[in-house]
């Protein structure tokens, strides 16, 4: 591939530069994408990176929404990264892109500590767009174990979920609420909940946890994931 024109960078290089301007290094961007730093450098020198544009856009959207944690940003990126080819030359299975407005469509977003402090604003579009499409939502919440009021794995806490509790060494625990197998939550209802909290997804989730008796009133959410989908047939 011929060298890239430094005066006319491609989209991957432009988005990467925006992340660099936000304080990230090329190595950190590469880690988010699950690739080597040398490939990110080639966005600038050889015009590569077209396959990563969607992932970079999602990462930048999360950063603008307040997320700073590279681990959380990497999870955001992986939702849109096209996987490498297999040894036989076939394309590895690719995660679906954020296409919620069609039957069977899905989208997702994650927020770590930094974004949560500012309301996890980049998660609001996942909720609102899924609601507008008549879809459903599922959530994963991480908090200190003693801030949950129900026993881990309780059917009352998360009915129908058998894999939704993940204890961690730092004394926190992840619990999953809703899934495609249980039908999830009505996204339109959650869209209204988020709107009632002025777009603050963190506060909307905390209020729901407290209202339903799942968390103490001063609960401190440390990680939040939202997954939206529409049924294959509307």
């Amino acid at each position: 591939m011929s060298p890239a024109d430094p005066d006319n960078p491609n989209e991957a290089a432009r988005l990467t530069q925006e992340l660099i301007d936000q304080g990230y290094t090329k190595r950190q961007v590469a880690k988010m994408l699950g690739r080597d730093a040398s490939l990110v450098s080639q966005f600038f020198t050889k015009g590569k990176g077209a396959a990563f544009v969607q992932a970079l856009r999602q990462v930048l959207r999360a950063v603008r929404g307040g997320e700073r944690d590279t681990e959380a940003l990497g999870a955001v990126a992986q939702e849109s990264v096209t996987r490498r080819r297999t040894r036989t030359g076939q394309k590895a299975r690719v995660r679906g892109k954020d296409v919620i407005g069609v039957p069977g469509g899905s989208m997702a977003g994650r927020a770590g500590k930094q974004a949560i402090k500012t309301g996890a604003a980049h998660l609001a579009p996942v909720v609102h767009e899924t609601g507008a499409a008549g879809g459903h939502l599922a959530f994963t919440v991480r908090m200190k174990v003693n801030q949950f009021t129900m026993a881990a794995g309780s059917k009352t806490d998360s009915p129908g979920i058998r894999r939704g509790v993940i204890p961690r060494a730092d004394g926190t625990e992840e619990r999953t609420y809703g899934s495609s197998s249980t039908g999830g939550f009505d996204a339109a209802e959650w869209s209204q909940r988020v709107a009632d909290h002025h777009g603050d997804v963190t506060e909307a989730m905390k209020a729901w946890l407290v209202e339903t008796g799942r968390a103490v009133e001063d609960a401190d959410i440390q990680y939040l994931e939202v997954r939206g989908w529409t049924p294959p047939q509307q």
Side-chain angles (χ1 to χ4, degrees):
M1 181 176 291
S2 60
D5 180 357
D7 296 324
N8 187 28
N10 67 13
E11 186 68 358
R14 187 188 67 76
L15 293 168
T16 300
Q17 185 59 54
E18 287 196 48
L19 289 170
I20 292 172
D21 293 342
Q22 291 282 345
Y24 296 97
T25 65
K26 289 181 181 179
R27 186 174 299 278
Q28 287 176 313
V29 174
K31 187 175 181 180
M32 295 174 200
L33 297 174
R35 298 294 189 268
D36 189 85
S38 62
L39 176 60
V40 173
S41 293
Q42 291 178 47
F43 295 174
F44 297 86
T45 61
K46 295 187 177 181
K48 291 187 177 182
F52 301 97
V53 168
Q54 178 65 14
L56 289 166
R57 284 175 178 162
Q58 297 296 340
V59 169
L60 190 58
R61 184 175 75 175
V63 170
R64 287 169 176 165
E67 182 61 79
R68 300 297 301 178
D69 182 73
T70 54
E71 180 182 350
L73 292 172
V76 170
Q78 290 307 308
E79 290 294 328
S80 301
V81 169
T82 301
R83 298 185 178 183
R84 297 183 178 91
R85 290 180 178 273
T86 64
R87 291 183 178 180
T88 61
Q90 297 178 331
K91 287 185 178 180
R93 190 168 64 88
V94 178
R95 293 174 182 265
K97 294 184 179 180
D98 286 356
V99 182
I100 196 66
V102 297
S106 64
M107 65 189 306
R110 298 169 174 81
K113 289 183 179 180
Q114 293 300 317
I116 282 174
K117 290 179 181 178
T118 57
H122 66 285
L123 298 184
V126 177
V127 177
H128 294 317
E129 291 178 28
T130 304
H136 307 277
L137 295 170
F139 303 90
T140 295
V141 181
R142 183 191 303 163
M143 299 192 303
K144 290 289 186 181
V145 174
N146 61 8
Q147 294 183 341
F148 289 103
T149 58
M150 298 181 184
S154 165
K155 291 182 179 180
T156 303
D157 181 47
S158 190
I161 302 294
R162 296 290 179 270
R163 54 178 177 75
V165 180
I166 304 175
R168 299 168 62 88
D170 61 1
T172 63
E173 194 167 87
E174 287 186 6
R175 298 195 184 185
T176 298
Y177 299 103
S179 71
S180 57
S181 62
T182 62
F185 296 96
D186 181 357
E189 177 184 335
W190 268 91
S191 181
Q192 185 59 55
R193 282 180 174 273
V194 171
D196 290 343
H197 286 84
H198 309 288
D200 191 321
V201 183
T202 306
E203 283 301 311
M205 172 51 69
K206 177 180 174 180
W208 179 81
L209 290 169
V210 173
E211 288 170 10
T212 58
R214 290 175 165 84
V216 298
E217 290 191 6
D218 60 348
D220 180 23
I221 297 175
Q222 298 187 21
Y223 171 87
L224 179 61
E225 177 179 333
V226 183
R227 299 175 301 283
W229 70 91
T230 52
Q233 297 295 328
Q234 290 282 33

